[in-house]
Amino acid sequence: MRFILLLFSFLLLFQNFVFGQNTIKEGLQNLQSKNYPKAISIFDELLKKEPQNTALLYNRAYATLLLHQSNKVIEIKTEDLRFKNFQSQHDTLKHAYKLTSQALENYRNLSESDKNKLISEGIGNFKDVFNLKEGIAKASSNLIVDAFYYVPFQRLPLTPPYNRPENADTTQALRHILVLQATDFLETYQKTRAYDGIKNARRSLLKEFITIPDLRARGTGNGYLYEKYYAYILEDYTEEELRNIIPEFYGADWNFPKYGYKNKEEYKKLEAFAKSKSLTVLELFGKLNLHYKGVIYENKMCLNCDLYSDFINEFAPHQLAFVAVQKLASQFIVDKKWSEASAVYQKFKPLFVNKNFGKQDDFDKIIALLNQKEDNLRLKNLGKNINTGGYETAPVPFVNSYGNEGLYFCRMDLGTGQDVYYSFYENGKYSKAVRLPDGVNTNTHEVPQSVSFDGNTLVLFGNYGGLDAYKIELRQQNNKLGNGDLFFAERNTKGDNNNSNSPTWGRIKAFPFPVNTPNYEAGLSFSADGNAVVFSSDREGVIGNHLPKAPKDRLYFHGREEFNIDIFVSEKNGETGEWNEPINLGEIINTPFAETQPFLHPDMKTLYFVSDGHYGIGSGDIFMSKRLNPNSWTEWSEPVNLGKSINSPFLDGFYMGTSGEFAFIVLKNTETANQNQNNSYKTNYDIYRFEVPERFRPEPVLPPTIITGKLIDKNGKGIQTQIFIEDLGTGKIISSTQSSAKDGSFKVQISSNLFSNSNSSNPKIGMYAKEKGSFSTSQNISITTNKKGGNETNQNSSSNSTSQTSKTGMKDKPIIYTTNQNLEIYKISELINGETTVRLNNLFFDFDSYALQETSLPEIERLFEILKDNPTLKVKIEGHTDNTGKAEYNLQLSKNRAKAVSEQLISLGIDKSRVTFEGFGSQRQIADNFNDEGRAKNRRVEFRLSE
């Protein structure tokens, strides 16, 4: 038995030996039968044991090339290759090329007898190995030059489908990948026949990064691409071919003219400094890389920190030297090494202080900022209903006129551009985000900027003005649209259902001139009353030199591409409803650099904005300033930096919630970034929420007030027109809306903080309709404000109120007032010489007196406007009381009250011959006098018109 077992074991070993000897033949057989994956698998197993076997190296590479060629035929037949990234094929061929290179080196060192032995294993001669190497290089080069999206950049606008707006981002990403693939090819496939072709291909691809028109063709914000690829550009182009780079790309910072800049002292100084580093000026700017990576680290070693230090020492207090200080400290700030970051500013401070450098105390402020205790922001990701593996940004919190809270935001993915989504905050979490409908969204980019306080107007920055479906209509609204414009969509409230979870929107409209101009406008924010807008613009009237965004012959400025952008405000003309000429907020807010993304909080005092000109740790820090005078837009407190926990070394975005307790920020999600690291398209930015540190919060705000009602004609039919809400303490319009054409209903949301007398316990607001040739009755509501817990309704209004802080940033739920009486509207022509009298509801007298309260003036002024516009009309004022008290007393009181109104009209400028009055006491009752409601209706002042 033992002998039999030994014999069986010997047979197994012999079989394995024989199998091992025959495996390469089996691989060749699979190669011959075109079973390339099997052949590759066999050769890989053998290479693990014999990694230097020339035949295995050769045949493994040969099988890879044959498989690639076979798959290419299948792909052409079955796949849409227009947007295919061939990186995996490049990687496979690159591996095969390395195997072939090793096989070729081995083959050269073999004896003739050993070379002859390889004939039976697939290698006939040296030429076989050499041609395989060239064949792989050719296949790899074809992946680049045969890619559908490899076309001259100037031809892209004429080449479908790459000329379609929805494909712009995908095409750009793929062409960037081509640059990297071509560069990898040139490093890998040196001394091959295909090398020169790919060298020319990369040169052709890089051409789009060396002229401003080509960079601008992608939209602004792409200037960094030159510095991203500068090393390749300097390899492929001569400095003579790049002679435009220094004056055009860097000229704004150094005040270089387009021609003759080499004679400038600053250039000579740059040239001497570069020469001391064995660099040209172009190489110096590239290695500084101020507009792309800045300070560059590899394996925790800084590659250009010494160059930065020497540059700062040589050129301080030049503004770019200050930008270099910021860049030098940036990695320490990212790593939260605050003392090291502070030390950078301490080190270079003497070079800037007491010299010709802007604000000399900036260094002290930055050092103090870095030495402050860090805030614990406790960032919370908004979750999978909002965030994806792609790019979510521009969160805009809202509370709409139905009392629902939520968030608008922007999401970008391949083939869609940037689209606007919304989500409601319900039961402690955000609902699944829904894309806003076509009309608001298009096949290109749309970004939400803000939403009006009532939630009914969504402000957008987009490309509408250039799209065929919009441009004619928008140009009719404003023929001065230009280099970046602001648009808005109005919510179709009459088309919404009651729960308002499926909002519909009207046509996109352009903000009129002078908000939109041929210049750049962005980042618009409404005031809470809707009567002012703050926005960024590069128009004439900025602080400092007029340096518009994206000039034709300048690319970089102060480490960015924004140039000089200021924040402006435009107020609405109360008479015409048009926007007045914008006012610059002044040099306390604005600087000679870029101020953007303004947000005026509903407290009407606190402004948040991003600035590149005030002291900061990055290329655009977030600041807060307080409006010091409610009647002035140029009186502000000194802006305060929101600190190192909120700001970063990069351009920051910050989105404040209504209460000021919570804010939103957009950050890179490192978890999803790691998951998508092999996907070149994913950007992995998510929206987070955090609690704002107490010192950076605005004034406490009361919960909003929502008012509902109806507007009808004399027959009870609904009328569609504008409804105005006014502060009866000042007569100032604080909001407006439009009634529904269907039934005349309206709903409007206003900030309770707007009431001029909100410090009192019962502020009064009025409402009325306005239509040319008509006069409407008015309504008024007294709101009881509870400073600790929000608003309380009076006995004549219904309400719904809670008192908890929501995740969208609203301190309290809105309180909703439903008016008990309709607004009625009358044609002036119908009132003349008729029997109809119109009640003046918003007249207020002291108790048992005919002394008019100041809150009555807006109502009398409305009547005054009618008489002023119709100079032939006469008016009779009629006073009435209830039957409480003596008839004689009531008759005199009613007469005196009618007289008081008449005298007020005359004091406003109406000739006394056109005004009469009469008192009727309790003679003409319109309701019974058995309850308070009936008696209130009987106490009234009315007017009638005649010619």
Side-chain angles (χ1 to χ4, degrees):
M1 174 64 80
R2 180 177 294 178
F3 173 76
I4 294 173
L5 289 172
L6 289 171
L7 179 64
F8 181 69
S9 298
F10 174 78
L11 290 172
L12 286 175
L13 290 171
F14 179 77
Q15 183 180 5
N16 287 337
F17 174 77
V18 172
F19 178 77
Q21 292 295 306
N22 293 330
T23 299
I24 190 167
K25 294 182 179 178
E26 185 180 348
L28 292 171
Q29 289 170 358
N30 279 282
L31 203 59
Q32 183 69 26
S33 62
K34 300 183 180 181
N35 189 353
Y36 306 126
K38 179 65 175 175
I40 290 170
S41 176
I42 292 171
F43 295 138
D44 279 341
E45 282 298 315
L46 287 171
L47 280 169
K48 290 178 182 178
K49 302 172 184 177
E50 298 181 78
Q52 293 299 317
N53 186 303
T54 304
L56 291 174
L57 291 167
Y58 172 85
N59 284 299
R60 168 62 170 83
Y62 186 38
T64 300
L65 178 61
L66 293 174
L67 179 62
H68 169 77
Q69 293 171 339
S70 174
N71 286 341
K72 189 174 181 181
V73 173
I74 296 172
E75 287 173 347
I76 291 172
K77 292 180 179 179
T78 61
E79 286 190 53
D80 184 354
L81 303 180
R82 295 174 300 174
F83 296 103
K84 185 174 177 64
N85 175 12
F86 296 99
Q87 187 60 51
S88 62
Q89 289 90 328
H90 277 286
D91 293 340
T92 301
L93 290 172
K94 182 177 178 180
H95 178 62
Y97 182 80
K98 289 180 178 179
L99 296 177
T100 310
S101 297
Q102 185 62 54
L104 189 61
E105 183 181 343
N106 292 351
Y107 191 87
R108 285 194 178 102
N109 296 324
L110 292 175
S111 66
E112 287 301 318
S113 61
D114 287 338
K115 290 178 181 177
N116 290 333
K117 292 178 183 178
L118 291 176
I119 295 174
S120 63
E121 295 178 333
I123 304 178
N125 52 39
F126 173 83
K127 187 178 288 186
D128 285 346
V129 187
F130 179 82
N131 286 341
L132 176 60
K133 184 179 177 183
E134 288 290 337
I136 294 172
K138 180 64 174 175
S140 182
S141 72
N142 286 343
L143 288 174
I144 295 171
V145 297
D146 290 345
F148 285 93
Y149 41 87
Y150 172 67
V151 294
F153 183 66
Q154 291 77 8
R155 283 177 51 197
L156 279 177
L158 304 175
T159 308
Y162 308 111
N163 58 351
R164 295 174 187 161
E166 64 267 30
N167 297 327
D169 295 313
T170 309
T171 304
Q172 181 172 325
L174 288 168
R175 289 174 68 84
H176 283 223
I177 292 169
L178 275 184
V179 172
L180 299 178
Q181 290 169 346
T183 300
D184 188 47
F185 182 97
L186 296 176
E187 294 173 356
T188 304
Y189 299 91
Q190 296 181 23
K191 298 181 181 180
T192 61
R193 296 190 189 104
Y195 183 89
D196 287 342
I198 298 303
K199 183 79 170 175
N200 289 331
R202 187 178 76 168
R203 175 184 163 92
S204 174
L205 288 165
L206 293 172
K207 186 177 180 181
E208 62 196 78
F209 306 128
I210 62 175
T211 68
I212 290 177
D214 286 346
L215 286 169
R216 295 278 187 252
R218 303 168 175 273
T220 57
N222 289 288
Y224 73 92
L225 293 172
Y226 165 75
E227 287 193 354
K228 178 178 181 178
Y229 298 120
Y230 91 93
Y232 310 149
I233 291 170
L234 294 186
E235 284 180 23
D236 294 354
Y237 287 86
T238 66
E239 291 219 359
E240 174 60 23
E241 290 175 306
L242 301 174
R243 61 186 178 274
N244 66 300
I245 298 294
I246 290 176
E248 292 184 1
F249 286 29
Y250 299 97
D253 276 319
W254 297 95
N255 198 27
F256 289 157
K258 188 170 183 179
Y259 303 104
Y261 64 88
K262 290 185 178 181
N263 297 322
K264 291 284 187 179
E265 287 302 316
E266 285 284 20
Y267 180 81
K268 292 177 181 179
K269 187 176 179 181
L270 281 167
E271 190 174 40
F273 177 76
K275 189 175 181 179
S276 71
K277 303 295 180 183
S278 300
L279 301 170
T280 66
V281 176
L282 266 182
E283 289 172 332
L284 170 65
F285 285 146
K287 287 188 176 294
L288 286 171
N289 224 245
L290 284 166
H291 307 89
Y292 180 51
K293 279 193 172 181
V295 175
I296 301 171
Y297 284 83
E298 283 186 12
N299 300 320
K300 298 184 179 180
M301 293 292 294
C302 183
L303 303 184
N304 57 354
C305 283
D306 289 342
L307 179 63
Y308 262 77
S309 293
D310 292 344
F311 177 81
I312 296 165
N313 281 309
E314 182 69 21
F315 291 97
H318 193 282
Q319 284 289 346
L320 271 194
F322 173 71
V323 173
V325 174
Q326 289 181 312
K327 300 288 185 182
L328 200 55
S330 63
Q331 191 60 48
F332 295 126
I333 294 171
V334 169
D335 295 337
K336 297 188 176 183
K337 296 180 178 179
W338 307 119
S339 58
E340 289 90 336
S342 178
V344 171
Y345 285 93
Q346 291 278 12
K347 176 182 178 181
F348 295 107
K349 173 183 171 182
L351 300 176
F352 293 85
V353 176
N354 298 324
K355 295 190 178 182
N356 185 25
F357 172 72
K359 300 178 180 178
Q360 296 185 8
D361 59 350
D362 277 7
F363 270 77
D364 288 332
K365 290 179 179 179
I366 295 170
I367 292 166
L369 193 74
L370 292 169
N371 291 336
Q372 285 178 355
K373 182 180 178 182
E374 188 175 359
D375 294 301
N376 182 13
L377 295 185
R378 291 179 293 181
L379 296 173
K380 182 176 181 181
N381 190 298
L382 295 192
K384 62 182 181 181
N385 283 343
I386 299 287
N387 294 316
T388 66
Y391 187 7
E392 283 77 33
T393 186
V396 176
F398 68 86
V399 177
N400 64 25
S401 56
Y402 294 90
N404 297 327
E405 303 174 47
L407 196 70
Y408 295 107
F409 65 95
C410 174
R411 177 179 291 168
M412 182 171 71
D413 213 335
L414 287 180
T416 66
Q418 292 172 292
D419 283 346
V420 183
Y421 285 72
Y422 72 94
S423 171
F424 286 104
Y425 188 77
E426 301 170 321
N427 301 319
K429 64 180 181 179
Y430 285 97
S431 63
K432 187 173 180 60
V434 178
R435 180 181 179 272
L436 285 182
D438 289 343
V440 174
N441 284 315
T442 70
N443 57 4
T444 178
H445 298 297
E446 298 79 39
V447 182
Q449 303 285 288
S450 64
V451 65
S452 60
F453 190 81
D454 62 9
N456 291 333
T457 303
L458 179 63
V459 180
L460 299 148
F461 186 86
N463 297 322
Y464 302 103
L467 300 177
D468 290 340
Y470 300 87
K471 60 184 178 184
I472 295 177
E473 180 181 349
L474 293 174
R475 294 284 171 178
Q476 289 173 345
Q477 297 170 17
N478 183 349
N479 62 5
K480 296 185 178 181
L481 298 180
N483 183 29
D485 293 299
L486 292 159
F487 303 89
F488 64 95
E490 293 177 307
R491 183 169 175 162
N492 183 12
T493 53
K494 64 179 181 294
D496 292 348
N497 55 34
N498 288 333
N499 62 27
S500 73
N501 284 348
S502 300
T504 58
W505 297 87
R507 290 280 293 176
I508 292 293
K509 297 179 182 178
F511 275 91
F513 182 85
V515 175
N516 277 328
T517 69
N519 298 90
Y520 170 81
E521 283 83 30
L524 183 143
S525 170
F526 280 102
S527 62
D529 60 6
N531 289 325
V533 289
V534 291
F535 61 96
S536 293
S537 177
D538 63 359
R539 65 187 63 201
E540 293 274 3
V542 295
I543 301 299
N545 294 328
H546 181 226
L547 299 171
K549 180 183 172 76
K552 294 179 180 179
D553 58 352
R554 292 289 187 267
L555 184 63
Y556 302 134
F557 182 64
H558 201 236
R560 293 174 61 182
E561 296 176 62
E562 298 291 352
F563 286 74
N564 190 358
I565 299 174
D566 279 3
I567 300 174
F568 291 79
V569 62
S570 177
E571 292 186 306
K572 185 179 287 186
N573 186 308
E575 294 290 327
T576 65
E578 297 176 349
W579 294 103
N580 294 329
E581 186 66 29
I583 302 166
N584 189 298
L585 293 193
E587 59 186 10
I588 293 175
I589 298 295
N590 293 312
T591 72
F593 304 106
E595 278 70 44
T596 58
Q597 299 182 38
F599 171 68
L600 183 65
H601 193 266
D603 68 1
M604 295 286 285
K605 298 177 182 178
T606 310
L607 178 72
Y608 298 93
F609 63 100
V610 173
S611 175
D612 186 37
H614 291 287
Y615 71 99
I617 58 177
S619 61
D621 279 16
I622 304 157
F623 289 82
M624 176 186 74
S625 178
K626 298 284 188 177
R627 190 179 176 195
L628 301 177
N629 182 348
N631 298 314
S632 171
W633 288 104
T634 58
E635 298 177 49
W636 298 89
S637 65
E638 188 68 26
V640 175
N641 189 300
L642 265 57
K644 63 187 182 184
S645 300
I646 293 175
N647 287 310
S648 75
F650 314 108
L651 181 60
D652 296 305
F654 174 81
Y655 309 87
M656 178 64 79
T658 306
S659 74
E661 293 185 26
F662 294 97
F664 300 85
I665 198 165
V666 177
L667 297 171
K668 191 169 187 177
N669 187 325
T670 53
E671 292 182 9
T672 55
N674 292 332
Q675 294 168 11
N676 296 318
Q677 59 184 341
N678 295 321
N679 190 330
S680 303
Y681 304 118
K682 295 294 185 180
T683 45
N684 311 297
Y685 280 88
D686 283 357
I687 301 171
Y688 295 78
R689 182 185 66 86
F690 65 92
E691 190 169 343
V692 179
E694 193 76 38
R695 66 188 183 281
F696 300 135
R697 293 182 185 180
E699 304 264 334
V701 293
L702 297 168
T705 298
I706 296 175
I707 301 170
T708 68
K710 279 189 176 183
L711 174 66
I712 58 174
D713 63 15
K714 63 179 183 179
N715 299 315
K717 182 181 178 182
I719 296 291
Q720 184 179 36
T721 191
Q722 284 294 109
I723 308 294
F724 292 90
I725 310 298
E726 64 182 342
D727 178 351
L728 292 177
T730 63
K732 184 178 180 181
I733 302 299
I734 56 177
S735 190
S736 65
T737 189
Q738 191 172 61
S739 55
S740 166
K742 182 179 179 180
D743 59 3
S745 62
F746 62 88
K747 183 175 291 191
V748 63
Q749 176 173 300
I750 56 178
S751 169
S752 305
N753 286 59
L754 293 174
F755 308 139
S756 66
N757 51 351
S758 60
N759 290 327
S760 71
S761 59
N762 294 95
K764 279 189 173 65
I765 58 173
M767 69 193 81
Y768 63 90
K770 191 171 184 179
E771 188 174 65
K772 190 173 178 63
S774 299
F775 186 90
S776 86
T777 58
S778 57
Q779 290 282 317
N780 65 82
I781 292 177
S782 294
I783 298 175
T784 302
T785 57
N786 178 356
K787 296 297 181 181
K788 294 182 179 180
N791 296 344
E792 297 174 356
T793 180
N794 63 13
Q795 61 182 2
N796 294 322
S797 305
S798 61
S799 68
N800 178 24
S801 168
T802 65
S803 182
Q804 61 179 15
T805 301
S806 73
K807 304 303 182 188
T808 56
M810 181 60 65
K811 175 68 176 174
D812 293 278
K813 284 282 191 180
I815 185 164
I816 300 176
Y817 291 87
T818 302
T819 59
N820 293 327
Q821 297 182 359
N822 297 326
L823 295 179
E824 298 176 353
I825 193 164
Y826 301 91
K827 297 286 186 184
I828 300 298
S829 58
E830 296 173 349
L831 295 177
I832 299 173
N833 299 327
E835 294 300 319
T836 304
T837 58
V838 180
R839 178 170 177 156
L840 298 170
N841 286 318
N842 288 352
L843 293 181
F844 307 97
F845 297 92
D846 292 339
F847 176 71
D848 200 28
S849 168
Y850 55 86
L852 280 166
Q853 297 179 4
E854 286 191 12
T855 49
S856 304
L857 296 181
E859 184 84 328
I860 298 174
E861 287 173 354
R862 285 203 308 128
L863 179 55
F864 164 75
E865 291 295 327
I866 293 294
L867 296 172
K868 186 180 72 171
D869 293 342
N870 297 271
T872 62
L873 291 184
K874 296 180 179 180
V875 65
K876 182 180 180 182
I877 307 299
E878 300 179 353
H880 304 271
T881 67
D882 59 28
N883 65 354
T884 304
K886 295 182 178 181
E888 295 84 357
Y889 181 83
N890 288 336
L891 182 64
Q892 189 60 44
L893 179 61
S894 66
K895 181 178 180 180
N896 288 338
R897 286 183 170 178
K899 181 181 179 182
V901 175
S902 301
E903 290 175 343
Q904 188 63 42
L905 285 171
I906 294 169
S907 71
L908 290 172
I910 301 301
D911 191 278
K912 62 182 180 180
S913 64
R914 297 173 59 195
V915 183
T916 59
F917 62 90
E918 186 174 358
F920 295 94
S922 59
Q923 299 170 13
R924 297 184 178 182
Q925 304 292 284
I926 58 173
D928 63 53
N929 284 296
F930 298 112
N931 54 54
D932 290 340
E933 182 179 353
R935 287 190 289 271
K937 288 181 179 180
N938 287 327
R939 296 190 298 270
R940 66 197 189 278
V941 175
E942 300 172 328
F943 73 88
R944 65 176 72 237
L945 298 175
S946 63
E947 286 186 318

